[in-house]
Amino acid sequence: MTTPLPAGFQTAAVEAGVKPGTSRLDLALFISEAPCAAAGVFTTNLVCGAPVKVSRERLPRGTARGVVINAGNANACTGEQGIRDAQAMATAVGQAIGCPGEDILVCSTGVIGRLLPIEKIVTAIGVAGEQLSPTTESFDKAARSIMTTDTFPKQVTRELHLAGGSVRITGVCKGAAMIAPNMATMLGVIMTDAKSSPEVLQEALSAAVADSFNCISVDGHESTSDSVILLANGLSHVDCTGGEAKVLFAKAVADVAMELAQLIIKDAEGASHFVTIDVTGCRSREEAFKIAKTVADSALVKTAICGADPNWGRIVSAAGYAGVPLKEEEVSLWVNGIALYESGVPLAFDAAAASKSMRENRDIHIDLRLTHGNGSIRFWTSDLTKEYVALNADYTT
Amino acid sequence: MTTPLPAGFQTAAVEAGVKPGTSRLDLALFISEAPCAAAGVFTTNLVCGAPVKVSRERLPRGTARGVVINAGNANACTGEQGIRDAQAMATAVGQAIGCPGEDILVCSTGVIGRLLPIEKIVTAIGVAGEQLSPTTESFDKAARSIMTTDTFPKQVTRELHLAGGSVRITGVCKGAAMIAPNMATMLGVIMTDAKSSPEVLQEALSAAVADSFNCISVDGHESTSDSVILLANGLSHVDCTGGEAKVLFAKAVADVAMELAQLIIKDAEGASHFVTIDVTGCRSREEAFKIAKTVADSALVKTAICGADPNWGRIVSAAGYAGVPLKEEEVSLWVNGIALYESGVPLAFDAAAASKSMRENRDIHIDLRLTHGNGSIRFWTSDLTKEYVALNADYTT
């Protein structure tokens, strides 16, 4: 599967020696030959990585040239030295491609609390700068180099045909747990040759992330480093700053973000099921979100799904402590289309058939309906397996 | 180990046929020969069991005679029929011992969403009423009969010597996960021969629970059925409603609750570590509580402890998303007495020694210090192991 880049974008990936072991790609550049309008969305964790602090300050921006990402070390909880190291990474990229360091965004993913081997990284950035290429092979290597416990690279592209011409939107992300073992984080870069402004991009990206990356949860542990960056270099010469083009462009960005987010859940650490949670009939989207996230983060719901166990009481009881006012008689539940609980009353159902449906389908659909209003959310999560525990029980030492 | 009951209390345990399999005790009575002042604290889950609804309405109370508990079925999410069944259990006990049904409290623990086999239970209550006994053997059987995935019965007693004489406080509880597989819940009954009033008892119990049962978390899933009931029958003739006796009595109740709560964590499902989390230097107890609970509920913190992995970034990053305003430079962390992070800067430490300390000690101490004020909390949790997943992955079917 090859995923093309938009016009004017190039990538590179090298071995900087940050990830443990040898012969492992761990540093990537995503660069535009022309200045980009750029926007970003970052973790809301108050303990956040130095790259988040540095990149957040630089966005939205009209003159960005690209993103540098290292895997293997999150450069988080690293104090002032961490900030200087993140800035140094950007500066090194600027020197390699000929732009101010401030026009480069930085992301890091990996273990928290260790200083970066910054000299190795700066050297590697110089090498990567020589290898920038617009090919799908190069992009595939870059997508692989930012992986931590991911088992496959995650790339998505859309071609958008507008009155003024065509634009391409291509995204890449990594992540297999909100914080993966030793390493950390969901990171995403979305590139486009559409012509846009930082403000329009920020609006489109914030909306897209709210319904995608912010509606997934593997383990509920909010990363120090989550970052999604959108770069638009305008080289298609198709203006997407207003009118129908703006709407269609925002929709396409949302599609790319949604597909990337789902790829993360499909690759969730140790997971054996892909779980879609629909919560409808709430007073607001916010209340629906709270319920969906509480259900998604319940270890008991997740282990029941792992075991193909239609133990629906765990789902309903999780809704009960989500912080949303509700009464049992206002709640109904379906799992994989099987009605289990209606208006506060348990329904007779074929437990063996329900369990079979959960065991034989990787996709699980939880459909929780309330009677309060029209607020709804769609949320995605994974199950909790012994493999998740094994993956996360022993890393830094 | 035998735990004596206070004066005038009797217990019984029988096989009602609620728990699956044969020859399993699953119904217990805890009865006072004299009327008791009584108080209770219950789950705050909005989806709560019928017994919680029935018992909550009856407390505080000056004329309680005891508690009936069944294991194997939580009688939760069971609609109106569930309420009638819980009332029927109390009525049956009243008939057996000769008191109004309203003077009996009810608790149930087990699978959610199934109607009780109420006829079996009512018959069993009649049998149990004939077997009431003040012996430690009988009390031990009762403590075992309410167990679900617990691996040992949990009983605690204190003898309090006051100016007016001695009083005894004896508690029993069950619980190995906030909701255990198939079954559910933390339940506790604390009995005393002290003389008290419902109001004084409620105050003492609420304070005791706040620092004990409400400061433990196995998996963060709030049960539909959590209940702690305190019964004081006054048969010691020692007045504990005022003065120093009131203070010492409240302290002893808190001690009993604390020891019972810790026994639950020591028996946490599949756990290999007992984790004490101290959070100090906060603006308030509430902020300290939020941070401690967020750390305790993080699957990544829990798996790191399981793996004896001093991956302290997971602890600090959990504090960062607890909803408490903080800056990294206001946070310091010790684990098992080893300084890992000070004022936002990672410290050099001997990772192998830290890991050894975590591997060789069942007790883990997380000491998280902020610089905001004097608010603090002590919280207990367990680690997350493959055994927890196995225990919870396949039950109802």
Side-chain angles (χ1 to χ4, degrees):
Chain A
M1 191 182 64
T2 58
T3 310
L5 287 165
F9 281 94
Q10 299 193 322
T11 66
V14 296
E15 298 165 20
V18 186
K19 277 185 189 168
T22 53
S23 304
R24 300 185 63 184
L25 296 170
D26 52 14
L27 187 125
L29 299 183
F30 302 87
I31 302 294
S32 166
E33 62 180 63
C36 298
V41 175
F42 299 93
T43 181
T44 57
N45 195 318
L46 296 175
V47 175
C48 68
V52 169
K53 293 174 187 166
V54 169
S55 296
R56 192 160 47 195
E57 218 168 62
R58 296 176 178 182
L59 294 173
R61 183 176 204 85
T63 58
R65 288 290 302 282
V67 184
V68 56
I69 301 181
N70 76 274
N73 182 323
N75 190 13
C77 298
T78 45
E80 284 301 314
Q81 184 61 45
I83 300 284
R84 285 191 291 272
D85 289 346
Q87 290 165 338
M89 285 174 67
T91 301
V93 176
Q95 284 168 352
I97 69 167
C99 76
E102 288 71 25
D103 286 339
I104 301 298
L105 294 322
V106 187
C107 301
S108 297
T109 174
V111 65
I112 297 173
R114 293 203 189 144
L115 293 176
L116 285 178
I118 188 64
E119 285 170 26
K120 282 189 195 176
I121 288 178
V122 166
T123 304
I125 287 170
V127 176
E130 302 291 320
Q131 297 181 6
L132 284 164
S133 156
T135 62
T136 57
E137 292 71 24
S138 171
F139 183 41
D140 192 60
K141 271 178 65 182
R144 288 177 190 279
S145 72
I146 62 172
M147 289 164 52
T148 51
T149 52
D150 303 63
T151 63
F152 56 82
K154 298 169 183 68
Q155 297 156 289
V156 169
T157 190
R158 288 284 188 285
E159 189 97 18
L160 193 59
H161 303 288
L162 299 167
S166 292
V167 304
R168 179 173 285 154
I169 303 169
T170 298
V172 56
C173 74
K174 60 81 55 179
M178 285 300 100
I179 285 193
N182 191 2
M183 315 148 206
T185 307
M186 190 283 302
L187 298 179
V189 178
I190 304 176
M191 296 161 277
T192 177
D193 49 18
K195 194 174 162 194
S196 190
S197 69
E199 294 70 30
V200 168
L201 284 187
Q202 188 66 53
E203 189 185 323
L205 184 63
S206 295
V209 168
D211 285 333
S212 59
F213 295 110
N214 281 347
C215 280
I216 60 174
S217 171
V218 172
D219 50 27
H221 193 111
E222 190 182 317
S223 163
T224 56
S225 308
D226 289 337
S227 304
V228 184
I229 292 168
L230 174 56
L231 300 170
N233 67 11
L235 290 183
S236 69
H237 306 293
V238 179
D239 188 345
C240 294
T241 54
E244 196 194 8
K246 178 183 168 184
V247 174
L248 292 173
F249 174 74
K251 170 78 171 56
V253 169
D255 280 353
V256 168
M258 184 76 86
E259 193 171 330
L260 288 171
Q262 292 188 25
L263 288 175
I264 289 177
I265 294 297
K266 286 181 177 155
D267 199 15
E269 286 178 357
S272 61
H273 287 92
F274 177 83
V275 186
T276 304
I277 303 174
D278 277 317
V279 180
T280 54
C282 294
R283 293 179 196 89
S284 63
R285 180 185 185 278
E286 191 193 12
E287 291 198 351
F289 180 88
K290 277 188 189 175
I291 291 173
K293 185 163 193 315
T294 304
V295 171
D297 286 342
S298 162
L300 286 164
V301 171
K302 292 164 108 71
T303 49
I305 292 169
C306 166
D309 175 2
N311 192 340
W312 57 266
R314 296 182 180 179
I315 298 170
V316 174
S317 61
Y321 68 87
V324 174
L326 59 82
K327 293 179 184 152
E328 290 168 45
E329 55 268 31
E330 298 163 348
V331 180
S332 300
L333 174 71
W334 286 252
V335 172
N336 283 5
I338 302 168
L340 300 174
Y341 186 65
E342 190 166 5
S343 306
V345 176
L347 302 178
F349 70 100
D350 181 340
S355 179
K356 186 163 184 281
S357 158
M358 294 173 74
R359 196 163 41 244
E360 293 180 356
N361 289 292
R362 186 174 169 86
D363 288 351
I364 301 291
H365 185 220
I366 294 175
D367 182 0
L368 199 57
R369 301 187 197 169
L370 282 79
T371 58
H372 297 160
N374 294 318
S376 68
I377 198 88
R378 177 163 282 187
F379 201 99
W380 296 271
T381 191
S382 54
D383 54 357
L384 174 60
T385 66
K386 291 184 201 172
E387 290 69 33
Y388 175 92
V389 176
L391 270 164
N392 284 284
D394 192 22
Y395 264 81
T396 64
T397 54
Chain B
M1 191 182 64
T2 58
T3 309
L5 288 165
F9 280 94
Q10 300 194 320
T11 66
V14 296
E15 298 166 19
V18 186
K19 278 187 189 168
T22 52
S23 304
R24 299 186 64 185
L25 296 171
D26 52 14
L27 187 125
L29 299 184
F30 301 87
I31 302 294
S32 166
E33 61 181 63
C36 298
V41 175
F42 299 94
T43 181
T44 57
N45 195 318
L46 296 175
V47 175
C48 67
V52 169
K53 293 175 187 164
V54 168
S55 298
R56 191 159 47 194
E57 220 168 60
R58 295 176 178 183
L59 293 174
R61 182 175 204 86
T63 57
R65 287 291 302 281
V67 185
V68 55
I69 301 181
N70 77 272
N73 183 322
N75 190 14
C77 298
T78 45
E80 284 301 314
Q81 185 61 47
I83 300 284
R84 284 192 292 272
D85 289 345
Q87 290 166 338
M89 285 174 68
T91 301
V93 176
Q95 284 168 352
I97 68 166
C99 75
E102 289 69 27
D103 286 337
I104 301 297
L105 294 322
V106 188
C107 302
S108 298
T109 173
V111 65
I112 297 174
R114 291 201 190 147
L115 292 176
L116 285 179
I118 188 64
E119 285 168 27
K120 282 189 196 175
I121 288 178
V122 166
T123 303
I125 287 171
V127 175
E130 303 290 320
Q131 298 182 6
L132 284 165
S133 157
T135 62
T136 55
E137 291 72 23
S138 172
F139 183 39
D140 192 60
K141 272 177 67 182
R144 288 177 190 280
S145 72
I146 62 173
M147 288 164 52
T148 51
T149 53
D150 303 63
T151 64
F152 57 82
K154 299 170 183 68
Q155 297 156 290
V156 170
T157 190
R158 288 283 188 285
E159 190 99 15
L160 194 57
H161 303 289
L162 299 168
S166 292
V167 304
R168 179 173 283 156
I169 303 169
T170 299
V172 56
C173 74
K174 60 80 56 179
M178 284 300 101
I179 286 193
N182 191 4
M183 314 145 206
T185 307
M186 190 284 301
L187 299 181
V189 179
I190 303 176
M191 295 161 277
T192 177
D193 48 19
K195 194 173 160 195
S196 190
S197 69
E199 295 68 31
V200 168
L201 285 186
Q202 188 66 53
E203 190 186 320
L205 184 62
S206 295
V209 169
D211 284 334
S212 59
F213 296 111
N214 280 348
C215 280
I216 60 174
S217 171
V218 173
D219 50 26
H221 192 111
E222 188 181 319
S223 162
T224 55
S225 308
D226 289 338
S227 304
V228 184
I229 291 169
L230 173 57
L231 299 171
N233 67 10
L235 290 184
S236 69
H237 306 292
V238 180
D239 188 344
C240 294
T241 55
E244 197 194 7
K246 179 183 168 184
V247 174
L248 292 173
F249 175 74
K251 170 78 171 57
V253 169
D255 279 353
V256 168
M258 185 75 87
E259 193 171 329
L260 288 171
Q262 292 189 24
L263 288 175
I264 289 177
I265 294 298
K266 284 180 177 155
D267 199 16
E269 286 179 355
S272 61
H273 286 91
F274 176 83
V275 185
T276 303
I277 303 174
D278 277 316
V279 180
T280 54
C282 292
R283 293 179 197 89
S284 63
R285 178 185 187 279
E286 190 193 13
E287 291 198 352
F289 179 88
K290 277 188 188 174
I291 291 173
K293 185 162 193 317
T294 305
V295 171
D297 285 343
S298 162
L300 287 164
V301 171
K302 291 163 109 68
T303 50
I305 292 170
C306 166
D309 176 2
N311 193 339
W312 58 266
R314 295 182 181 179
I315 299 170
V316 174
S317 62
Y321 68 85
V324 173
L326 60 83
K327 293 180 184 151
E328 290 167 46
E329 55 267 32
E330 298 162 347
V331 180
S332 300
L333 174 70
W334 285 253
V335 172
N336 284 4
I338 302 168
L340 299 174
Y341 186 64
E342 190 166 6
S343 306
V345 176
L347 301 178
F349 70 100
D350 182 340
S355 180
K356 187 163 182 283
S357 159
M358 295 173 74
R359 196 162 41 245
E360 293 180 356
N361 289 292
R362 186 174 168 87
D363 288 350
I364 301 291
H365 185 219
I366 294 176
D367 181 2
L368 199 56
R369 302 187 198 170
L370 281 79
T371 58
H372 296 160
N374 294 318
S376 68
I377 198 91
R378 176 164 282 187
F379 200 100
W380 295 271
T381 191
S382 53
D383 53 358
L384 174 59
T385 66
K386 290 185 201 172
E387 289 69 32
Y388 174 91
V389 176
L391 270 166
N392 284 284
D394 192 21
Y395 264 81
T396 64
T397 55

